[in-house]
Amino acid sequence: MDFPTLIQYGILISLGGTVFAGLIGLLVHTREAHRLAYGLLAFANIIGAITCFFFLKSGEVGVLIGSIPFGYSLTLGLDTLSSIFYLIITLVTTLCSVYAIVYVEHYKDTYHLPSLAIATSLFIFGMQMVLLSTNIAGFMIFWEIMSIASFFLVMADRKQASIKAALLYLVMTHLGAAALLAGFFVLSQGTLLANFSALQVIGQSLPVHAVTMAFILFLFGFGSKAGLVPLHVWLPEAHPQAPSHISALMSGVMLKVALYGFLRIIGMFPIMPSWFGMTVLVLGLASAIFGVLYAVIETDIKRTLAYSSIENIGLIFTMVGVGLFASSHGQYLLGQLCFIAAIFHAFLHAIFKSGLFLAAGVIVSETHTRNLEQMGGLTKRMPIFTGAFCLLALSAAALPPFGAFFGEWMFLQSLVRVLPTITADPIFLGVVVAALMGVAFVGGLAIFAMVKLFSIACLGEPRSESASHAKEPGGFLLAPILFLTILVIAIGAFAPDLFSLLKADTVISFDGLSKTLQIPSAASLSSLKLFSALVIVSFIVWIFRHLFSDSKNERSYHTWDCGQPITAGMEYTATAFSAPIRFFFRLLLRTKKAVTAIPIIPTNPWIARRTMELDTSPIFMEYLYLPIERGLMHVSKLVRKIQNGSIQLYLALIFITLIATLIIAL
Amino acid sequence: MNSIVITLIQAIIILGLAPFCMGLVRMFKARMQGRHGASPFLPYITLATFMRKQMVISTSTSWVFRVVPFVVLSTTIFLALVLPLASQGGALSSLSDFVVVAGILSLGAIFLVLGGLDGASAFGGMGSSREMTIASLIEPTVIVAFATVAIVSQTHLIDGMIFHEMSEILERPYLLLVLISLLLIALAENARYPVDNPATHLELTMVHEAMVLEYSGPYLAMLEYASALKLTIFSLLAVNLFFPVSLLVPGAGLISLVTVIGMTVIKLVVMMFLLALLESSIAKMRFFRMQEYLSVSFFVSLAGLVLVLINLV
C-alpha cells in the first residue's frame, strides 16, 4: 500500500469510528453502551491523530480522502492546513473520550448518557468533516451539524440556566452561520456548490465593494464562533454549562475550527486592503484585553477558563491581523512568521485549555461547586492531580520553559525585529507598536488570572465542607490530564521540532526577504538548553540545601494567628485577590460595589453588620446587547399597531409586499 | 579563560557578594538616618544561622510550600548565570533573550505568591495579591524597555545590549528614558521604596515580607538569599547596560579577573549608596496609587521606544 492510501484509510477509520460511536449510543441500550462509544471514539481518533502526524511529517501537500455522491459530489481532502487542525481535533478528542468514560458515570442522574454519546459523536464528526470539506456546501452543512450538536450538548443537563445559555448560543451561532452563508454567496457569486479552489478564480472578477462586504460577513461569522469581542457574549455562558469534557472540546477545539475557517477563506481573497488586517488586529486585541480582565475578576472556575479562551483567541487573531496587515504591506516574511506563531499558539491553546477544563471537571465533581470561593486545600488532598493542574496553569500563562511560551516569543521577537526596518511607514509602525504593547500587557494579566485560578482553588485551607472531602481522582480521569501536562512540558523542551512539524521551517528557510528582517528562527533560542539549564540549576540548589542543612530538622505547627485561631474564612478569596486589578481598571470594568452597614445598636454607627454586594456583570451585555434588545422591543411595539385583527388590512399588506418584492427583484 | 570558566567565575562573584550587598544597603541607610547600623557582613551570619535553625512548617501547607524556595532560588540563580553581570559572552549568554528573562522573573514571582497563599493566613494572601498585581503590571514595561534597547543594539540577547563606549549612549540621549524606566522596574521587582517597605512587618505596607511570613529556617534562608541575589543582579545589570566598565570576556587573563572583582564591588557600593539615599529621602507610596507609578514607568519606556523609532527614520 502506498503512502496516500494509508493516509486515506487512517482518516476514513477516524471518521467511521466516530460515526459508529454515535450509532452505538443510538442502538445499544445496555448500561455499558456509553463506555463502548467513548472507547471507540478514543480509538478512532488516536488513529486519526497518528495519521495526521505522519502526514505532516512526510511533507506531502495534499491527499484526496474520498467523495460522497450526495446529489452532487462532495469531495473530501486533506492538506497541510487542515491536517494541522485535524491533528488538534483528534488528539484532544481522544483524551476527552478517555476522560468521559468514567466522568459521565458520576453524572448518571444529570445527563441522559446515550444521547450525550450521540451528540458528542455528532459534534466531533461535524468538526472533522468541516476540515475535510473542499467545497462550500459541504463546509456549511457540517458547520451546521457541529453547531446544532454542540447546542444540544450545552443543555445536556436540562437545567434552566443551561437552556438559557444554549439558546443564547444558538442565536449567536446562527447569526454567524447566516453571515457565513451570505459571505459565500457574495464571494462565489451564487454558486454554492463551487470548490474552494474554484472560489479563488471566481473571486478575481469581483468588484472591490463586494469583496469588502464578503470580508465583513466572514469576519462576523467566524468571529462569532471564535468568540471575538463583541460577539463573545455566548461563550462565557455556554462553555461552563456543558459537561467538562465537552467544555474542553468546545474551548480547545471548536474555536480552532472557526480559526481554521477564517484562515482557509482569507487565503482565497483576491485582494487584501490593509484595513482588513487592521480590523482583525483591533478585534483581536480588544478580545484579548477584555477576555483577560474578566478572567482575572471572575470567581467561577469554568467561566474563568472560558474568558481565558476569549483572551487566547484574541491573541491568535492579533497575530493573524498583524500577519494580514504585513502581507498587504509587502512584508511577506513577517506575515508568514505571524501566521506560524498564530497556528503554534492555537495548537498549544488546544492542549493546555482542554487539560485545564478536564482538571476543572475533576475539581467540580470533587467539591460540588464551580465557585472558587468555596474551594481550597486541594493541594494537600490530591497532590498528583494538583501538580498537573499547577503546571497546566503555568503553561496557560505562557511562561518559559512551557510550550505556550514559544508562540508568544516568536510573535514578540518578530515584531521587535521588524520595527527598525519599517520606520518609513508610520501606520505600519503604529500597528506593530500597538500589537507589541497589547500582547505584553495581556501576557502580564494572563499570569495573574492563572495564578488566581490555581491558588484560590487549590491552596490554603478548604473553604467549604465538600472541599475538605476531596480525593485524588481515578486513573481514567487522571491519565488524560497527566498526558496533556507531559505534552506541554515536552513541547517546551522541544519547541523547534513542533515548529518544523507545523511546516514553519519551510517558511523560515525562505531567504528572499531574510536580508530585511533578521529571522527569529527556532534555532536562535534553544528551548532544550533553556529547559535543561533550569532543571540543572534546580537540582544543584536541591543538593546544596541537603548538604548544608539538616532536612529532617522541622516540626509542624499551625499558621501564625496573632493569638486568635485562624479559620478558612480569614483566607483571601478570589474576589479579594483580584481587588487591586478591579480598582486599577475600574474605568474599563465598571464593577459596582455597594457596602451597606446596619448598626446593631441604633445609637452607635461604629458597631454595625456590614454586607457587600459586588456586581461584575460584563459591560458588553449591559451597554451593547441590552440597548439593542430594548430598541427591538420598541420597534416591535410600533409594528404591532398595524396588527389590528382586520383581515382586509392583512390582505392589503400581503399585496403591497408582493408588489414591492417584484419591483426590487425585477 | 574560556566561556564556561567566565560564567562560573561570574556565578561565584555574584553568589558570594549578594549578602554583602544586602548588608551594605542596610548599613548605608542606618548611617543616613543617624544610626550606627550593623556591619555589612551581618547577612552572611544571619543566613548561616537560618540554615542551622529548626523549621516550623504550618499544618495548613502542602507540597507547594516546600517547592517554592527551590523554584524562587533556582530562577534567581539562573538569571545570575545568563545575564551580563561581571562577564560578557559567557557559556549561557545565548539564553539571555529578553522575553525569556522577563518570563523567568515572573516565574519566580509566581512561586513566591503561591507560597504566600499556601499558609492560609490573611497576611500571606494580602502580600500575594499585591505582589501579583505589581508583577503582572510590570511585565509590559520590561518587554517594551528591553525591546527599545534591542532595537538600538540590534540584538535580542541582553548579553549583547551592553554599550561599550559612553559616546554610544550620549549620541542617543533618549536611552536615558529607558534607563529611568528600568530603574523604576528594578525598585518594584526588588520590593524597595516607594513600592514596598523592606524593613517593616506591618500589614498596611508590606508586600514581600508578608509572603515569606510563614517561612523559617533553611527555607527562609533560601528566600532571603534569593532576594539579596535579585537586588545584586538588578543593580549590576542597570550599571552594566549603561556604564559598562571592565567586564570579563572570553580569553581574559588573571589580571583582568582582579580588576573585574574590584570593579564589581565598587559598582555595588555605589549603587547601594544611591539606593539607600533614595530610600532615606522619599516616602513609600500608598498601594492603591501603584497604578500611577506603574503607568509612569510604562509610558516612560514607551516614549523611549517611540523616540528611538523616530530617530531611525
Side-chain angles (χ1 to χ4, degrees):
Chain A
M1 232 188 306
D2 57 336
F3 186 69
T5 326
L6 272 178
I7 297 291
Q8 196 182 355
Y9 280 121
I11 299 292
L12 286 176
I13 288 173
S14 67
L15 287 173
T18 309
V19 174
F20 205 66
L23 288 178
I24 290 176
L26 193 63
L27 301 174
V28 184
H29 287 289
T30 58
R31 270 186 155 183
E32 273 73 40
H34 69 273
R35 291 194 169 196
L36 197 59
Y38 288 118
L40 187 59
L41 262 184
F43 171 74
N45 279 285
I46 196 70
I47 300 273
I50 293 168
T51 310
C52 280
F53 179 79
F54 282 110
F55 176 78
L56 280 168
K57 201 117 181 106
S58 72
E60 196 92 27
V61 191
V63 170
L64 194 68
I65 301 303
S67 64
I68 309 172
F70 196 53
Y72 66 97
S73 170
L74 171 60
T75 317
L76 303 179
L78 192 72
D79 64 0
T80 308
L81 186 65
S82 53
S83 64
I84 291 171
F85 285 88
Y86 204 87
L87 177 59
I88 296 178
I89 292 185
T90 44
L91 184 65
V92 174
T93 304
T94 306
L95 296 166
C96 290
S97 309
V98 172
Y99 178 88
I101 293 174
V102 174
Y103 175 77
V104 293
E105 284 175 6
H106 289 309
Y107 294 94
K108 270 202 279 275
D109 307 326
T110 322
Y111 305 121
H112 183 245
L113 298 189
S115 50
L116 190 64
I118 298 170
T120 308
S121 312
L122 206 58
F123 175 50
I124 292 159
F125 180 67
M127 293 196 289
Q128 289 171 336
M129 289 297 276
V130 164
L131 296 186
L132 297 176
S133 299
T134 55
N135 67 3
I136 300 172
F139 185 92
M140 283 310 298
I141 290 169
F142 293 111
W143 182 272
E144 275 303 287
I145 289 180
M146 165 182 94
S147 301
I148 306 262
S150 53
F151 161 70
F152 285 113
L153 288 169
V154 170
M155 50 184 246
D157 63 359
R158 288 160 290 176
K159 286 189 182 128
Q160 201 57 40
S162 304
I163 292 172
K164 215 177 146 201
L167 286 174
L168 178 64
Y169 169 53
L170 192 70
V171 170
M172 291 306 291
T173 196
H174 276 89
L175 282 176
L180 287 186
L181 200 58
F184 277 124
F185 258 116
V186 174
L187 201 62
S188 70
Q189 301 188 314
T191 50
L192 280 187
L193 297 180
N195 267 337
F196 284 147
S197 48
L199 202 59
Q200 207 155 8
V201 184
I202 300 171
Q204 300 293 339
S205 60
L206 279 182
V208 177
H209 66 86
V211 176
T212 309
M213 176 89 145
F215 174 76
I216 293 172
L217 287 167
F218 280 123
L219 188 59
F220 183 91
F222 290 121
S224 70
K225 196 70 171 177
L228 286 185
V229 162
L231 307 167
H232 67 286
V233 282
W234 61 273
L235 206 154
E237 306 297 327
H239 285 200
Q241 291 298 338
S244 285
H245 64 290
I246 301 298
S247 313
L249 281 170
M250 287 178 85
S251 258
V253 179
M254 190 179 72
L255 304 182
K256 307 301 165 343
V257 175
L259 173 70
Y260 161 80
F262 187 72
L263 290 176
R264 170 69 75 195
I265 301 302
I266 217 71
M268 288 167 200
F269 267 62
I271 50 161
M272 187 58 59
S274 57
W275 69 267
F276 282 13
M278 206 132 58
T279 316
V280 176
L281 169 71
V282 169
L283 288 182
L285 273 183
S287 314
I289 290 170
F290 278 100
V292 79
L293 281 174
Y294 281 106
V296 166
I297 66 171
E298 189 55 62
T299 55
D300 176 317
I301 185 168
K302 287 176 87 176
R303 281 172 71 102
T304 303
L305 291 174
Y307 275 119
S308 151
S309 289
I310 297 178
E311 172 232 323
N312 280 290
I313 281 290
L315 282 180
I316 292 167
F317 272 82
T318 305
M319 296 172 187
V320 171
V322 176
L324 291 175
F325 189 86
S327 307
S328 64
H329 272 238
Q331 286 270 5
Y332 297 106
L333 187 60
L334 175 65
Q336 294 286 12
L337 288 173
C338 290
F339 291 134
I340 292 167
I343 289 177
F344 186 89
H345 194 73
F347 196 94
L348 261 299
H349 178 241
I351 293 172
F352 69 70
K353 188 51 63 68
S354 44
L356 283 172
F357 263 115
L358 296 184
V362 170
I363 293 179
V364 172
S365 70
E366 288 295 330
T367 62
H368 306 296
T369 174
R370 275 175 23 201
N371 189 351
L372 283 172
E373 328 243 90
Q374 290 174 15
M375 297 172 186
L378 302 183
T379 36
K380 227 175 2 177
R381 288 162 184 81
M382 35 213 298
I384 300 171
F385 167 77
T386 48
F389 185 46
C390 179
L391 293 172
L392 284 170
L394 290 178
S395 76
L399 287 166
F402 301 102
F405 168 76
F406 292 94
E408 280 192 26
W409 172 81
M410 178 85 138
F411 184 59
L412 286 174
Q413 286 293 350
S414 309
L415 293 183
V416 170
R417 288 174 200 210
V418 82
L419 273 173
T421 66
I422 54 166
T423 45
D425 187 347
I427 298 176
F428 201 171
L429 211 55
V431 163
V432 173
V433 171
L436 182 71
M437 274 166 49
V439 172
F441 174 77
V442 171
L445 283 176
I447 299 174
F448 193 108
M450 285 303 135
V451 168
K452 181 206 73 180
L453 182 75
F454 171 72
S455 57
I456 302 295
C458 298
L459 299 182
E461 289 288 344
R463 295 180 185 83
S464 68
E465 180 65 27
S466 46
S468 62
H469 298 309
K471 286 185 303 295
E472 196 82 73
F476 273 98
L477 296 180
L478 199 53
I481 299 172
L482 288 180
F483 183 82
L484 287 163
T485 313
I486 292 166
L487 202 58
V488 163
I489 295 172
I491 292 175
F494 300 100
D497 297 302
L498 183 61
F499 272 119
S500 66
L501 185 68
L502 303 180
K503 304 289 175 202
D505 55 343
T506 55
V507 182
I508 287 175
S509 63
F510 178 79
D511 63 320
L513 279 155
S514 61
K515 288 184 187 65
T516 51
L517 176 66
Q518 201 196 348
I519 312 152
S521 73
S524 71
L525 172 64
S526 165
S527 57
L528 192 58
K529 195 173 172 186
L530 174 65
F531 186 77
S532 27
L534 280 171
V535 171
I536 292 170
V537 170
S538 314
F539 185 62
I540 293 174
V541 168
W542 187 79
I543 289 179
F544 269 73
R545 180 253 187 275
H546 288 272
L547 276 184
F548 288 101
S549 64
D550 178 9
S551 55
K552 301 263 174 349
N553 189 12
E554 63 175 55
R555 68 193 163 94
S556 294
Y557 196 62
H558 62 74
T559 298
W560 182 60
D561 58 1
C562 308
Q564 187 182 356
I566 275 194
T567 66
M570 296 173 188
E571 278 179 86
Y572 250 48
T573 57
T575 311
F577 192 72
S578 59
I581 300 286
R582 267 204 317 277
F583 178 77
F584 289 170
F585 295 97
R586 59 193 181 281
L587 287 178
L588 274 179
L589 292 169
R590 297 183 181 277
T591 51
K592 296 174 198 72
K593 180 174 151 184
V595 181
T596 43
I598 304 150
I600 294 171
I601 308 161
T603 49
N604 186 347
W606 298 105
I607 301 173
R609 191 186 301 279
R610 287 188 172 78
T611 52
M612 187 190 78
E613 258 179 82
L614 186 68
D615 177 16
T616 55
S617 53
I619 56 168
F620 285 96
M621 219 43 187
E622 195 161 331
Y623 294 95
L624 184 69
Y625 283 87
L626 290 182
I628 290 177
E629 189 206 338
R630 281 196 289 273
L632 274 179
M633 290 305 278
H634 186 67
V635 171
S636 319
K637 264 184 200 150
L638 291 181
V639 171
R640 208 169 58 186
K641 281 180 186 158
I642 59 171
Q643 192 186 23
N644 58 3
S646 114
I647 203 109
Q648 290 92 333
L649 183 67
Y650 291 169
L651 284 174
L653 283 175
I654 291 171
F655 188 64
I656 293 168
T657 314
L658 185 66
I659 303 255
T661 316
L662 283 175
I663 291 172
I664 293 168
L666 299 175
Chain B
M1 281 183 267
N2 66 15
S3 58
I4 296 174
V5 175
I6 65 167
T7 301
L8 285 178
I9 290 176
Q10 159 165 329
I12 292 167
I13 295 177
I14 305 299
L15 293 179
L17 284 178
F20 170 69
C21 183
M22 198 54 122
L24 210 55
V25 68
R26 285 188 191 143
M27 189 196 74
F28 279 135
K29 234 172 124 174
R31 290 282 161 90
M32 281 175 202
Q33 292 164 356
R35 292 180 280 126
H36 183 270
S39 148
F41 297 100
L42 182 65
Y44 291 99
I45 298 160
T46 316
L47 289 178
T49 318
F50 282 153
M51 290 302 276
R52 282 190 287 108
K53 290 258 179 195
Q54 188 186 35
M55 273 198 291
V56 182
I57 304 276
S58 161
T59 45
S60 306
T61 60
S62 59
W63 58 269
V64 175
F65 190 78
R66 294 168 184 276
V67 168
V68 168
F70 292 97
V71 177
V72 173
L73 187 55
S74 308
T75 52
T76 321
I77 293 178
F78 175 81
L79 292 179
L81 289 172
V82 303
L83 291 173
L85 304 173
S87 69
Q88 197 180 7
L92 292 172
S93 59
S94 67
L95 294 178
S96 65
D97 185 297
F98 69 92
V99 188
V100 174
V101 169
I104 297 288
L105 269 175
S106 307
L107 199 61
I110 287 172
F111 270 85
L112 262 181
V113 164
L114 297 184
L117 281 162
D118 206 20
S121 83
F123 282 111
M126 209 176 274
S128 293
S129 163
R130 292 169 180 172
E131 166 76 9
M132 205 55 241
T133 308
I134 295 169
S136 64
L137 295 178
I138 276 181
E139 175 103 342
T141 317
V142 176
I143 301 271
V144 172
F146 278 114
T148 313
V149 191
I151 288 167
V152 175
S153 58
Q154 296 180 334
T155 169
H156 58 106
L157 298 180
I158 297 182
D159 193 64
M161 290 181 189
I162 285 177
F163 300 97
H164 285 283
E165 301 290 329
M166 273 308 275
S167 61
E168 284 182 88
I169 297 155
L170 293 177
E171 279 165 13
R172 305 183 182 87
Y174 40 79
L175 282 179
L176 287 178
L177 290 175
V178 181
L179 176 64
I180 292 170
S181 81
L182 281 178
L183 288 177
L184 292 175
I185 295 168
L187 290 175
E189 279 280 355
N190 286 293
R192 311 299 304 190
Y193 272 63
V195 178
D196 188 8
N197 184 346
T200 64
H201 277 163
L202 201 65
E203 63 268 34
L204 284 177
T205 56
M206 62 184 172
V207 180
H208 181 266
E209 290 299 317
M211 290 186 290
V212 301
L213 213 51
E214 279 307 310
Y215 283 97
S216 54
Y219 285 166
L220 182 62
M222 289 163 82
L223 291 172
E224 293 274 304
Y225 187 48
S227 68
L229 260 179
K230 210 165 151 189
L231 182 66
T232 319
I233 291 169
F234 270 87
S235 325
L236 284 176
L237 189 64
V239 180
N240 287 350
L241 278 181
F242 294 93
F243 312 100
V245 196
S246 47
L247 289 178
L248 214 53
V249 287
L254 263 182
I255 300 167
S256 61
L257 177 61
V258 178
T259 2
V260 165
I261 295 177
M263 281 308 292
T264 308
V265 174
I266 294 173
K267 284 174 191 171
L268 281 177
V269 171
V270 173
M271 284 304 278
M272 291 308 113
F273 179 79
L274 292 176
L275 179 61
L277 190 64
L278 179 85
E279 295 208 321
S280 305
S281 50
I282 59 170
K284 189 192 164 301
M285 271 173 109
R286 209 151 57 86
F287 179 74
F288 279 95
R289 282 185 63 200
M290 222 57 292
Q291 51 174 341
E292 298 166 24
Y293 179 89
L294 295 168
S295 15
V296 163
S297 68
F298 180 68
F299 284 109
V300 167
S301 64
L302 189 63
L305 176 66
V306 171
L307 284 176
V308 164
L309 292 173
I310 289 174
N311 202 57
L312 281 176
V313 176

